[in-house]
Amino acid sequence: MSHPRSLKKILEQLYADRSPQHLANDPLSFCHRYRAPADQEVAALIAAVFAYGSVKVIKGSLSRIFSIMGDSPADFVDGFDPKRDRQLCSGFKHRFNDADDLAALFWAIRLMRQQQGSIERFFCRFFEANAATVEQALNGFCAAVTVFDYRQLFGSAALPPESSFRFLFPSPSGGSACKRLCMFLRWVVRPADGIDLGLWQQVRPAQLVIPVDRHIERISRMLGLTSRRTPDWRMACEITAALRQFDPLDPVKYDFSICHLGISEGCNGTSSASCPGCPVKRHCRAV
């Protein structure tokens, strides 16, 4: 599948035109509250895994979480004691996930940092530098997180069978598009550009896979970047391969801009008031 150079030019302009208003309407904005790289990294994983549902609900849940964590998310998780601090999570609810899941996430991040010093170093236990994408690293990372020792939270090492914590760490091996974890990786791997954070050094932007949410799924289909109908890992890889034609070294640089055509600019997949001024109109199959 090849794509016209004119679409690349439009996407490059969209990338250049990203705005603070777009960032303010994105869960990534919570990471920019902090300056220390360790705090940004911890905040990024937390903000990403809860980034499902409406923007309003996501921002409300994240506001509560980060108010619990105080000035330094990294210091908070490093000192998190399940017996002493679990009550801080009391009453938390974000759609499928509850206070137990939030406490388990704090504990899991503490263990990652305790074992390897950072989330990056923990993730890279499963990463091969010459890998085409982050697929196998994500499989290993998610498997490792879900088999941590959670006995201080649940009384036994294994997560309870009914725990919804696993929902926060889906893996490509199960077919999931892994939207939220791919988004986390985009945030921390891509160079700092006013939007993404540029925290990690070992994973290359070329190895990233685009986070497929409902906006990316819909708009990518409208632009001919995918022919697939199911928003799964294969769709994510197909869209990434299409974008790699425009920038082989940094294909997911366009993710934020494309996504915010829906989140912030009102694209809903049908002809609407937002269509006449839409920058990708000439390439859109919906108009």
Side-chain angles (χ1 to χ4, degrees):
M1 186 186 300
S2 61
H3 300 282
R5 291 183 179 180
S6 57
L7 180 56
K8 171 182 168 65
K9 184 176 181 180
I10 291 168
L11 293 178
E12 290 287 349
Q13 188 60 53
L14 282 174
Y15 176 79
D17 289 344
R18 297 168 309 158
S19 71
Q21 288 74 28
H22 290 155
L23 179 60
N25 208 25
D26 196 282
L28 175 54
S29 62
F30 287 86
C31 308
H32 285 272
R33 294 180 174 185
Y34 308 100
R35 291 292 172 261
D39 290 329
Q40 290 186 331
E41 183 188 51
V42 171
L45 183 56
I46 292 169
V49 299
F50 284 116
Y52 68 95
S54 72
V55 171
K56 181 179 179 180
V57 170
I58 292 168
K59 291 176 71 174
S61 295
L62 294 180
S63 291
R64 177 169 182 192
I65 293 170
F66 290 115
S67 68
I68 291 171
M69 302 184 77
D71 293 336
S72 173
D75 287 349
F76 176 86
V77 294
D78 287 349
F80 182 73
D81 182 323
K83 293 182 180 178
R84 183 192 66 211
D85 300 326
R86 187 173 182 169
Q87 51 84 26
L88 294 173
C89 305
S90 179
F92 175 80
K93 184 71 175 175
H94 180 75
R95 298 194 67 194
F96 310 130
N97 295 109
D98 59 18
D100 284 345
D101 300 325
L102 180 58
L105 180 61
F106 290 156
W107 180 244
I109 298 174
R110 174 180 170 170
L111 293 179
M112 291 182 215
R113 289 174 51 79
Q114 187 173 294
Q115 292 179 14
Q116 299 293 326
S118 70
I119 300 171
E120 178 184 12
R121 285 195 285 272
F122 185 85
F123 180 89
C124 286
R125 289 173 53 201
F126 314 101
F127 174 72
E128 295 184 7
N130 62 353
T133 73
V134 293
E135 179 175 353
Q136 290 307 313
L138 272 172
N139 284 332
F141 175 71
C142 293
V145 170
T146 55
V147 297
F148 275 143
D149 187 337
Y150 291 97
R151 76 183 68 231
Q152 292 200 46
L153 283 161
F154 301 115
S156 62
L159 290 166
E162 71 280 6
S163 174
S164 51
F165 176 74
R166 297 179 184 85
F167 174 79
L168 301 177
F169 291 92
S171 65
S173 62
S176 172
C178 300
K179 169 251 179 174
R180 288 162 291 138
L181 291 174
C182 285
M183 187 168 64
F184 163 70
L185 291 175
R186 192 205 91 206
W187 294 353
V188 296
V189 169
R190 287 202 65 257
D193 60 0
I195 302 292
D196 293 321
L197 303 169
L199 300 175
W200 286 15
Q201 303 301 316
Q202 297 185 61
V203 182
R204 291 177 284 113
Q207 295 167 301
L208 296 174
V209 173
I210 196 166
V212 175
D213 67 356
R214 61 190 178 90
H215 301 291
I216 292 294
E217 173 194 356
R218 181 180 67 252
I219 296 170
S220 293
R221 194 180 293 119
M222 288 158 54
L223 294 178
L225 301 175
T226 182
S227 60
R228 299 189 62 80
R229 306 302 299 179
T230 304
D232 56 11
W233 185 254
R234 289 194 290 177
M235 175 184 276
C237 291
E238 184 172 85
I239 296 170
T240 304
L243 295 175
R244 197 172 282 123
Q245 295 181 39
F246 301 144
D247 193 331
L249 298 181
D250 192 7
V252 306
K253 68 186 282 187
Y254 308 108
D255 169 54
F256 183 89
S257 305
I258 296 172
C259 191
H260 276 272
L261 288 174
I263 294 174
S264 299
E265 302 300 330
C267 174
N268 60 11
T270 61
S271 184
S272 68
S274 64
C275 290
C278 179
V280 299
K281 179 181 177 181
R282 63 178 291 194
H283 295 283
C284 180
R285 300 178 179 184
V287 297

